[in-house]
Amino acid sequence: MSSSPRQISAVPSPPAVEVSDALAMEFFYWMTLTRAVEERALNLYRQGKLPGSYYTGRGQEAIAIGMVLPLRRGSDGDWLSPWIRDLGSYLVHGVPPWRIFAQFMGKAGSTTRGKDGNLHIGGREWNIPCQVSHMADMIPLTVGAALAYKQRGEDRVALTSFGDAATSRGDFHEGLNIAAVLEVPAVFVAENNGWGYSTPISRQTKVTDLHKKAAAYGIPAVSVDGNDVFTVYSAMKTAVDAARAGQGPQFIECKTYRMGGHAAHDKYESYMPMETLAEWSDKDPIKRLETALRDTRGMVPERLEDVRVRVRDEVREAVERADHDGYPEPAEAHEGVFAPADYED
Amino acid sequence: MSSSPRQISAVPSPPAVEVSDALAMEFFYWMTLTRAVEERALNLYRQGKLPGSYYTGRGQEAIAIGMVLPLRRGSDGDWLSPWIRDLGSYLVHGVPPWRIFAQFMGKAGSTTRGKDGNLHIGGREWNIPCQVSHMADMIPLTVGAALAYKQRGEDRVALTSFGDAATSRGDFHEGLNIAAVLEVPAVFVAENNGWGYSTPISRQTKVTDLHKKAAAYGIPAVSVDGNDVFTVYSAMKTAVDAARAGQGPQFIECKTYRMGGHAAHDKYESYMPMETLAEWSDKDPIKRLETALRDTRGMVPERLEDVRVRVRDEVREAVERADHDGYPEPAEAHEGVFAPADYED
Amino acid sequence: MPELTYLEAINAALADEMELDERVFCLGEDVGKQGGAFGATKQLQQRFGVMRSIDMPVAEAGIAGVAIGAAMAGQRPVAEMQFGDFVSIAFDQLVTCAAKMHYRIGWAVPLVVRCPNGGGVGGGPYHSENVEAWFHHHAGLKIACPATAEDAYGMLRSAIRDPNPVVFCEHKFLYRREKAEVATGTDGRLVPLGEAIVRRPGSDLSIITYAATVRSASTVADRLAEEGISAEVVDLRSLIPFDAHTVLDSVRRTGKALVVHEDNLTGGFGAEVAAVIGQRAFEYLDAPVTRVAALDTPIPFTPVLEREYMPTEDDILAAARELAAY
Amino acid sequence: MPELTYLEAINAALADEMELDERVFCLGEDVGKQGGAFGATKQLQQRFGVMRSIDMPVAEAGIAGVAIGAAMAGQRPVAEMQFGDFVSIAFDQLVTCAAKMHYRIGWAVPLVVRCPNGGGVGGGPYHSENVEAWFHHHAGLKIACPATAEDAYGMLRSAIRDPNPVVFCEHKFLYRREKAEVATGTDGRLVPLGEAIVRRPGSDLSIITYAATVRSASTVADRLAEEGISAEVVDLRSLIPFDAHTVLDSVRRTGKALVVHEDNLTGGFGAEVAAVIGQRAFEYLDAPVTRVAALDTPIPFTPVLEREYMPTEDDILAAARELAAY
Ligand SMILES: Cc1ncc(C[n+]2csc(CCOP(=O)(O)OP(=O)(O)O)c2C)c(N)n1
Ligand SMILES: Cc1ncc(C[n+]2csc(CCOP(=O)(O)OP(=O)(O)O)c2C)c(N)n1
Ligand SMILES: [Mg+2]
Ligand SMILES: [Mg+2]
């Protein structure tokens, strides 16, 4: 049960990890897909086609994508428990886009068969537990999954992401402390976007550099530019590898900004400073990635356009499939409270 | 709402505060009284005269006493919410010894009229809320009391103490974070005695220097030798004064050792290292205080003996009074669930 | 007299008590400048200052605990849960600290915990819970479940003045749907906790309910009337204290009791109501005390499933007819 | 066959399941080397290793959450609350995460939360709670309340094998007082969850109860027998699933039901039992369904008050006589 945690420096930053052009194009594909799905869903929401409320992670796609690409997929892969801003993470971890639209629409093809909404998506086939609304509750669960892997000697990791405001919750604290004591392969991703609903982070905590909180548990932590997918990926890859190698839990803070309201119905103009929003708009992670691909990696515009076209098609098909999907039968409301006695793991 | 927190150094230690001989003798009186009450109660427990279980704070008297002497007493004084090791703190804050015996015995003169046991002692007259068993629950309450004082512009503080294991609880985290954000006059005293029941602190947290946890909230913290009442008092006085002066919450870690089992029935010999116990026995806070009084302050043995005699008499009288006290009427079990409509603050 | 929605009535009750008593303050997530997720605390911070409507970190246990401590230290906190569902996190603080303090040392905890409650709004399993039955078993907590704008106003003011911790369940479905002319300020009328009310007199059966299903019960009573069945509708208003007197009086007159709530069946407050009627009005009963409630499942998200989950007017009507015909 | 106490039976059930299934492990405060505050996990760490009986930090929400995650990841965790009272802190994890996971995505949470439960041991308000009624309202949790050493053994093994989260209430008063010859290991007998049992047949009235009050009910039945009254004692054993069939069958035969539990009255599981009987056995009832339970107060510490709080044999006897004479 021993580990050699990485040094926790004052302004910790992760080592750079080599990213091939092919992988960089994968970043681009997934981030473009993420944004396209969200934009389409927002339109559907505005047209009144989605019940419930609607949240987007616009501007945080680099985190959603960068944190999952280092993970192994599949039912025997790594555990992923993402935050509601991380639609892209579901895509990367294997959930087909149409099922996400079906989820938003409350259709039978939703991963919850309409029983839950938004990004409360999950399934054993992807090793994604279904998140709950209660912020930070999924943190101890993630620690528990990591414990299971450790107990069985499997080289799997469990990763969860959460917003800055979730760090105020007791379950954040209990989960991280236990993870450290038990030295489990858990990876914690804090998405510091400066806001928790209408509350600025300065009213959420005095310690607005969230990576510093990890020091209270003895968990190695880094803080990265969450709008730079290369940096995010490097940090995540390093952390996931460390956790997988038995070096215990890892903490990554991603600094970013919430590019609009808490939810689609939120009148954020009343409390968010427009100048700051404009500044961060220039730091848009997809724009930045495009620039890097073009300027640093010499990718021709056609290759990016190809991806955009592919994404457009995929989203169209996904919406169509979800649209044609039916609703669950009313009787299904009665079913599934308990797992049957012959339930198989 | 602004504050200038003291610098948090790597190994923070408090400034020394002048202690007069008279005050030093007060230390001696209270600590001797505390131990005498506990020893007497332990005997009563062993004789089967106390229902429930029995806990002592033997070896931690310097904390119990040192943390309360800087506080103001009375219903309009400072809020005190102590941990179960801190019998002495109740005494200093005004609870008469006989009522503590009555509490242990479940008599009507108990501050709870027999409705609760152990050190679940309290009353508005002393501004001591009645603690609950659930560790760390009293921390948010203490923050709330401090908030009330701040809202009304009163120069009162609210202090709570807790064991090292309580730092693992979510309510510790939520309470401290809120205290920091709201900048309330709360003082947190962590009694680090190395054990939580049979669990050593190394299995409780990786960060066994508890003062480091305060950094996660931006709360200034110090760490002191909890068996040296002079140091404890200095740290507490400094912290209480700072909180009272509007400098926001303060955190003091007192390093000490649990000088026996978790409770009187605990077979601690099976898990506690006897050598360490012996070492700490030499650091007994009362012995050390006696030495300081005699050797540094030139107090003649007679003066100490006078205190011991006075304490002996007081304890005898207290036990007698509690012994002669009656039990509550059975009908009282039905009463007091709700405060009456005409309840007066 | 202004026409206020149920939600505006809550806002007005808060403002009126804050105006009268400077010990009263609000705390919760986004309750300050934003005025809360639903607007219940709108303009209170602007009007009374930052220390009277305090934005809190996301920490429901902490919020409840801080409110308890402030209450004991002489303030009159009104804590808001952003959704009632999240009071699960404050459960320990409420049942361990708030509920048992006065019993032990006679020190009161005058605290209100406001819980936006209930379904029918497409909120899914985590934004639709009826939380009242999480608490009625725990001695020391009062529970208020107003069904009308007047009661929302009058009961909230009573709850704030009450020296005890009160779990105040505000039904979200009613926030903008219930409206009434509600006198406020000095003309404002307090509605005491612990008093049920007969919303509609009747003689053939008693429908005993509270909160959102008071509306459904009234509609059902109208339809029953057309069929020549006279249904009495009793609105409990407070669950704790439970006004058994009004309930028993009604059932002893009608001989038949239909207990209805939106909350799920098993262990809902209706079980307690049915048990009390069964024991104390046994000789008056002409038919089995019948319960209509939601399914014993989590609250599903998609409308077709949520409708199936909820006790509908048709469900109530069918049960009432059966009782009437018994 | 060895004579085991209720507590030893629990220890044996844990050991037997851990032996058979390496996914089974214990976690909780001091459960490791120490074997738990009561010794329920004694020698398990020594026998199965540190990763099979894990000492946890004092963090009940975290313990529950970790257990849920481990369960979903294929383990079979058995989490111990040092005292059932502290499960208040794990309430959110249990009702929010554990109870609603399978309903939403068909992914089971095979988890046991062991809660040393109940009063009568001078534990005061925070070491005496009966926690079963904190959970029966929440769909998705099973609740077991064994009354005998055999059931403690057999139901715990069933609970561990059950693919659902089970709140396992072990009555502390019975830990050393209940004893029986209990076959263990390969001869061990599983007791299914969801099946009540008639402990003693009778014809004049049914006493329906569970856990510690099964003993009191049996004693009362003896005394009633001396008076010529034949009382049937039904031990519910599991609250969820609730074996309404056995209860209704009994009441339909005797025509009279006395529902008894140590837990406090209002909103106790007895309310649900009484409501079900009142609705589904109405035509068989010759007397009001009567409840005997503890006071609706916190559980006071000092013996004279605790005795007043608890439902005593005399209370049960008096109620039974009244019912019999009705
Ligand atoms: C325990 C809990 N309390 C309150 C809420 C309501 N709520 C939903 S999101 C949110 C703010 C989240 O802020 P943050 O964690 O920073 O994530 P972000 O929305 O910025 O991505 C709140 C208060 C909740 N979901 N859970
Ligand atoms: C929330 C909670 N869980 C468990 C317990 C049982 N318990 C009582 S004291 C204790 C250990 C306390 O350790 P620590 O906080 O270090 O204080 P110490 O006893 O060492 O003074 C435990 C686990 C409790 N009282 N509260
Ligand atoms: Mg945020
Ligand atoms: Mg300790």
Side-chain angles (χ1 to χ4, degrees):
Chain A
M1 300 249 291
S2 92
S3 76
S4 53
R6 283 179 285 142
Q7 200 53 42
I8 305 165
S9 69
V11 185
S13 64
V17 169
E18 199 66 53
V19 172
S20 68
D21 283 355
L23 181 55
M25 283 303 288
E26 259 200 78
F27 294 165
F28 184 67
Y29 165 71
W30 289 118
M31 287 167 68
T32 306
L33 180 61
T34 302
R35 182 157 305 175
V37 169
E38 288 202 340
E39 283 180 347
R40 193 72 179 79
L42 184 59
N43 279 339
L44 291 168
Y45 173 79
R46 291 203 172 120
Q47 292 161 15
K49 290 188 180 155
L50 308 187
S53 25
Y54 184 68
Y55 308 82
T56 94
R58 187 186 185 90
Q60 298 180 215
E61 295 92 343
I63 306 166
I65 299 307
M67 78 184 186
V68 185
L69 280 168
L71 297 183
R72 297 186 187 150
R73 296 183 211 175
S75 63
D76 57 354
D78 296 326
W79 164 289
L80 172 69
S81 179
W83 174 228
I84 48 158
R85 304 288 168 209
D86 300 330
L87 184 142
S89 73
Y90 291 94
L91 297 170
V92 179
H93 219 49
V95 182
W98 83 268
R99 299 197 67 178
I100 296 183
F101 283 111
Q103 174 97 3
F104 291 157
M105 294 173 181
K107 295 288 184 82
S110 126
T111 66
T112 61
R113 290 197 68 81
K115 284 176 173 169
D116 207 343
N118 330 110
L119 288 184
H120 295 199
I121 284 171
R124 288 169 72 195
E125 53 191 304
W126 309 294
N127 205 10
I128 299 178
C130 195
Q131 70 172 300
V132 302
S133 292
H134 299 51
M135 292 157 55
D137 273 32
M138 299 303 289
I139 294 178
L141 267 72
T142 299
V143 175
L147 172 62
Y149 303 149
K150 175 169 172 148
Q151 285 174 315
R152 296 198 298 262
E154 298 168 357
D155 67 340
R156 296 160 79 181
V157 309
L159 181 146
T160 187
S161 59
F162 43 84
D164 42 288
T167 65
S168 300
R169 283 257 1 260
D171 282 21
F172 164 85
H173 178 75
E174 298 194 1
L176 267 72
N177 185 55
I178 292 171
V181 169
L182 301 184
E183 295 173 358
V184 298
V187 179
F188 304 109
V189 181
E191 306 189 33
N192 190 346
N193 66 7
W195 294 90
Y197 204 156
S198 77
T199 304
I201 187 165
S202 59
R203 297 285 307 169
Q204 195 68 240
T205 175
K206 284 266 173 195
V207 178
T208 55
D209 288 324
L210 300 179
H211 68 270
K212 292 186 184 159
K213 292 185 183 281
Y217 313 105
I219 296 180
V222 295
S223 182
V224 299
D225 177 348
N227 285 28
D228 175 8
V229 67
F230 295 96
T231 313
V232 171
Y233 176 79
S234 290
M236 298 295 179
K237 178 91 175 84
T238 309
V240 167
D241 288 352
R244 205 185 299 288
Q247 290 173 32
Q250 310 290 325
F251 188 100
I252 301 105
E253 174 186 21
C254 299
K255 303 242 192 207
T256 183
Y257 203 73
R258 201 183 69 200
M259 295 307 295
H262 167 60
H265 63 260
D266 178 19
K267 300 195 178 37
Y268 62 96
E269 299 83 355
S270 69
Y271 63 83
M272 284 181 87
M274 290 306 127
E275 325 78 70
T276 317
L277 271 170
E279 274 166 38
W280 278 89
S281 185
D282 295 338
K283 300 186 203 159
D284 182 83
I286 298 185
K287 275 195 217 160
R288 279 169 71 180
L289 173 57
E290 284 174 356
T291 309
L293 287 172
R294 242 186 5 241
D295 300 355
T296 320
R297 300 196 178 236
M299 219 64 82
V300 292
E302 289 72 22
R303 289 213 38 207
L304 304 191
E305 194 50 29
D306 285 351
V307 170
R308 289 193 200 99
V309 170
R310 177 180 156 206
V311 159
R312 215 170 297 139
D313 291 346
E314 286 177 354
V315 171
R316 192 186 341 95
E317 279 163 32
V319 173
E320 271 167 23
R321 180 147 180 209
D323 243 343
H324 287 101
D325 191 34
Y327 290 98
E329 290 301 315
E332 290 188 39
H334 301 254
E335 296 161 12
V337 172
F338 288 113
D342 61 356
Y343 178 89
E344 286 282 333
D345 269 44
Chain B
M1 301 248 292
S2 93
S3 76
S4 53
R6 282 179 286 142
Q7 199 55 40
I8 305 166
S9 70
V11 184
S13 65
V17 169
E18 199 67 51
V19 173
S20 68
D21 284 355
L23 181 55
M25 283 303 287
E26 259 201 78
F27 294 165
F28 184 67
Y29 166 70
W30 289 117
M31 287 167 68
T32 307
L33 179 61
T34 302
R35 183 157 303 174
V37 168
E38 288 201 340
E39 284 180 347
R40 193 71 179 81
L42 185 59
N43 280 339
L44 291 168
Y45 173 78
R46 293 202 172 122
Q47 292 160 14
K49 290 190 179 153
L50 308 187
S53 25
Y54 183 69
Y55 308 83
T56 92
R58 187 185 184 90
Q60 298 182 214
E61 296 91 344
I63 306 166
I65 300 307
M67 78 185 186
V68 185
L69 280 168
L71 297 183
R72 297 187 186 148
R73 294 183 212 175
S75 63
D76 57 355
D78 295 327
W79 164 287
L80 172 68
S81 179
W83 174 227
I84 48 156
R85 304 287 169 209
D86 300 329
L87 184 143
S89 73
Y90 291 95
L91 297 170
V92 179
H93 220 48
V95 181
W98 82 269
R99 299 198 66 179
I100 296 183
F101 283 111
Q103 174 96 3
F104 291 156
M105 294 174 180
K107 295 289 184 83
S110 127
T111 65
T112 61
R113 291 196 66 80
K115 285 177 173 170
D116 207 343
N118 328 110
L119 288 183
H120 294 198
I121 284 171
R124 288 169 71 196
E125 54 191 305
W126 309 293
N127 205 12
I128 299 178
C130 195
Q131 70 172 300
V132 302
S133 291
H134 299 51
M135 292 157 53
D137 273 34
M138 300 302 290
I139 294 178
L141 268 72
T142 299
V143 175
L147 173 62
Y149 304 149
K150 175 169 172 149
Q151 286 174 314
R152 296 197 299 261
E154 296 168 359
D155 66 342
R156 296 159 79 180
V157 309
L159 182 146
T160 187
S161 58
F162 44 84
D164 43 288
T167 64
S168 300
R169 282 255 5 257
D171 284 21
F172 165 84
H173 178 75
E174 297 194 1
L176 266 72
N177 185 54
I178 293 171
V181 170
L182 301 184
E183 294 172 359
V184 297
V187 179
F188 304 108
V189 180
E191 305 188 36
N192 190 345
N193 66 6
W195 293 92
Y197 203 155
S198 76
T199 304
I201 187 164
S202 58
R203 297 285 307 169
Q204 196 67 241
T205 175
K206 284 267 176 196
V207 178
T208 55
D209 288 324
L210 300 178
H211 68 270
K212 291 187 183 156
K213 293 186 183 280
Y217 314 105
I219 296 181
V222 295
S223 182
V224 300
D225 178 348
N227 284 29
D228 175 6
V229 67
F230 294 96
T231 312
V232 172
Y233 177 80
S234 289
M236 299 294 179
K237 177 92 177 84
T238 308
V240 167
D241 288 352
R244 205 186 300 288
Q247 290 173 32
Q250 310 289 324
F251 188 98
I252 301 105
E253 174 186 22
C254 299
K255 303 242 193 207
T256 182
Y257 203 72
R258 202 184 68 201
M259 295 307 296
H262 167 60
H265 62 260
D266 178 19
K267 299 194 180 37
Y268 63 96
E269 298 83 355
S270 68
Y271 63 83
M272 284 180 88
M274 289 306 127
E275 325 78 71
T276 317
L277 271 170
E279 275 166 38
W280 279 89
S281 185
D282 295 338
K283 299 187 204 158
D284 182 84
I286 298 185
K287 275 195 219 161
R288 279 170 70 180
L289 173 57
E290 284 174 355
T291 309
L293 287 172
R294 242 186 4 240
D295 300 354
T296 322
R297 298 195 182 237
M299 219 64 82
V300 292
E302 289 71 21
R303 287 212 40 204
L304 305 191
E305 194 49 30
D306 285 353
V307 170
R308 290 192 200 98
V309 170
R310 177 179 155 205
V311 159
R312 214 170 298 139
D313 291 346
E314 285 177 355
V315 170
R316 193 186 340 96
E317 279 164 31
V319 173
E320 270 168 23
R321 180 149 180 205
D323 243 344
H324 287 101
D325 191 33
Y327 290 99
E329 290 300 316
E332 290 188 39
H334 302 253
E335 296 161 13
V337 172
F338 288 114
D342 62 357
Y343 178 89
E344 286 281 334
D345 270 44
Chain C
M1 216 156 38
E3 191 182 65
L4 298 186
T5 63
Y6 184 99
L7 183 60
E8 288 162 347
I10 285 164
N11 183 253
L14 291 170
D16 287 350
E17 284 299 311
M18 287 172 79
E19 181 67 45
L20 276 178
D21 183 349
E22 59 178 25
R23 299 172 305 175
V24 179
F25 73 100
C26 298
L27 73 168
E29 295 149 16
D30 308 293
V31 300
K33 188 171 168 199
Q34 173 81 347
F38 295 97
T41 57
K42 220 163 164 171
Q43 292 300 321
L44 298 179
Q45 187 179 75
Q46 288 81 346
R47 182 163 157 202
F48 297 101
V50 283
M51 290 307 273
R52 299 287 299 283
S53 189
I54 306 180
D55 283 323
M56 294 290 281
V58 177
E60 284 76 7
I63 291 169
V66 164
I68 295 166
M72 292 181 70
Q75 300 294 89
R76 291 290 178 275
V78 182
E80 174 174 297
M81 298 287 119
Q82 196 154 82
F83 281 79
D85 309 62
F86 305 139
V87 79
S88 53
I89 299 168
F91 179 84
D92 169 60
Q93 278 289 345
L94 295 177
V95 308
T96 301
C97 296
K100 299 180 176 67
M101 195 62 75
H102 187 269
Y103 185 71
R104 298 184 302 147
I105 50 166
W107 189 343
V109 183
L111 160 70
V112 179
V113 182
R114 295 184 34 248
C115 297
N117 216 39
V121 294
Y126 299 111
H127 287 74
S128 306
E129 293 262 21
N130 287 285
V131 304
E132 61 273 14
W134 302 7
F135 295 104
H136 71 272
H137 182 55
H138 300 273
L141 301 173
K142 296 192 175 183
I143 303 173
C145 296
T148 67
E150 295 99 317
D151 280 359
Y153 176 83
M155 290 172 72
L156 182 50
R157 290 193 62 179
S158 292
I160 294 172
R161 294 181 183 199
D162 199 286
N164 294 288
V166 181
V167 177
F168 198 86
C169 299
E170 307 169 354
H171 204 294
K172 296 191 297 289
F173 185 84
L174 305 179
Y175 266 165
R176 295 185 178 83
R177 289 180 180 85
E178 273 295 324
K179 291 189 189 81
E181 303 211 325
V182 181
T184 60
T186 40
D187 297 334
R189 200 177 59 85
L190 268 66
V191 176
L193 303 184
E195 290 188 13
I197 189 169
V198 175
R199 288 276 169 217
R200 174 194 180 107
S203 51
D204 295 335
L205 77 150
S206 304
I207 306 182
I208 298 139
T209 188
Y210 61 88
T213 40
V214 171
R215 284 164 71 99
S216 342
S218 303
T219 311
V220 166
D222 287 343
R223 291 177 57 185
L224 289 170
E226 290 164 18
E227 300 171 18
I229 300 167
S230 163
E232 175 150 314
V233 178
V234 180
D235 176 359
L236 293 176
R237 304 205 285 194
S238 302
L239 307 195
I240 307 289
F242 170 46
D243 182 359
H245 176 79
T246 300
V247 170
L248 293 171
D249 177 68
S250 174
V251 176
R252 284 176 185 144
R253 279 187 285 100
T254 63
K256 294 177 178 176
L258 182 62
V259 182
V260 176
H261 51 58
E262 183 189 294
D263 194 9
N264 62 299
L265 183 76
T266 297
F269 193 71
E272 182 62 30
V273 175
V276 168
I277 296 171
Q279 182 159 356
R280 294 170 59 189
F282 179 72
E283 300 184 347
Y284 301 83
L285 288 177
D286 298 321
V289 179
T290 302
R291 287 184 291 166
V292 173
L295 302 184
D296 281 324
T297 70
I299 304 152
F301 165 70
T302 201
V304 59
L305 296 184
E306 192 186 16
R307 266 196 303 277
E308 180 71 12
Y309 168 86
M310 300 275 274
T312 61
E313 286 172 13
D314 287 343
D315 297 333
I316 303 169
L317 188 63
R321 282 187 186 134
E322 212 174 297
L323 264 192
Y326 194 92
Chain D
M1 216 157 37
E3 191 182 66
L4 299 185
T5 63
Y6 184 100
L7 183 60
E8 289 163 345
I10 286 164
N11 183 254
L14 292 170
D16 286 350
E17 285 299 311
M18 288 172 78
E19 182 66 44
L20 275 178
D21 183 349
E22 59 179 26
R23 300 171 305 175
V24 178
F25 73 101
C26 297
L27 73 169
E29 296 148 16
D30 309 294
V31 299
K33 188 170 168 202
Q34 173 81 349
F38 295 97
T41 58
K42 220 162 163 170
Q43 290 301 322
L44 299 178
Q45 188 179 74
Q46 289 80 345
R47 181 164 158 201
F48 298 102
V50 282
M51 290 307 272
R52 299 286 299 283
S53 189
I54 306 180
D55 282 322
M56 294 290 281
V58 177
E60 284 75 8
I63 292 168
V66 164
I68 295 166
M72 292 182 70
Q75 300 293 90
R76 291 288 177 277
V78 183
E80 172 174 300
M81 298 286 120
Q82 196 153 84
F83 281 80
D85 310 62
F86 306 140
V87 80
S88 54
I89 297 167
F91 179 85
D92 170 61
Q93 278 290 346
L94 296 177
V95 308
T96 301
C97 296
K100 300 180 176 68
M101 194 61 75
H102 187 268
Y103 186 71
R104 297 184 304 148
I105 51 166
W107 190 342
V109 184
L111 161 70
V112 179
V113 181
R114 295 184 33 248
C115 296
N117 217 39
V121 294
Y126 300 111
H127 288 74
S128 307
E129 293 261 20
N130 287 285
V131 305
E132 61 274 14
W134 303 7
F135 295 105
H136 71 272
H137 182 54
H138 300 273
L141 301 173
K142 296 191 175 182
I143 303 173
C145 296
T148 68
E150 295 98 318
D151 281 359
Y153 177 84
M155 290 173 72
L156 182 51
R157 290 193 62 177
S158 293
I160 293 171
R161 293 181 184 198
D162 198 287
N164 295 287
V166 180
V167 178
F168 197 86
C169 299
E170 307 169 354
H171 204 295
K172 297 192 296 289
F173 185 83
L174 305 179
Y175 266 164
R176 294 184 181 83
R177 288 180 181 86
E178 274 294 325
K179 291 190 189 78
E181 304 211 327
V182 180
T184 59
T186 41
D187 296 333
R189 201 178 59 86
L190 267 68
V191 176
L193 303 184
E195 289 188 14
I197 188 169
V198 175
R199 288 275 169 216
R200 175 196 180 106
S203 52
D204 295 334
L205 76 150
S206 304
I207 306 182
I208 298 138
T209 188
Y210 61 89
T213 40
V214 170
R215 285 164 69 100
S216 343
S218 304
T219 311
V220 166
D222 287 342
R223 290 176 59 185
L224 290 170
E226 290 163 19
E227 300 171 19
I229 301 167
S230 164
E232 175 149 314
V233 177
V234 180
D235 175 359
L236 292 177
R237 305 205 286 194
S238 302
L239 308 194
I240 306 289
F242 170 46
D243 182 359
H245 175 79
T246 300
V247 170
L248 292 171
D249 177 68
S250 175
V251 177
R252 285 177 186 143
R253 279 188 285 100
T254 63
K256 294 176 179 176
L258 181 62
V259 183
V260 175
H261 51 59
E262 184 190 293
D263 194 11
N264 62 298
L265 183 75
T266 297
F269 192 72
E272 183 62 30
V273 176
V276 167
I277 296 171
Q279 183 159 356
R280 293 169 59 189
F282 179 72
E283 300 184 347
Y284 301 82
L285 288 177
D286 298 321
V289 180
T290 301
R291 287 184 291 166
V292 173
L295 301 184
D296 281 324
T297 69
I299 304 152
F301 165 69
T302 201
V304 59
L305 297 184
E306 192 186 17
R307 266 195 304 277
E308 179 72 12
Y309 167 86
M310 300 275 275
T312 61
E313 286 173 11
D314 287 343
D315 297 333
I316 304 170
L317 188 64
R321 281 188 186 133
E322 212 173 298
L323 265 192
Y326 193 91

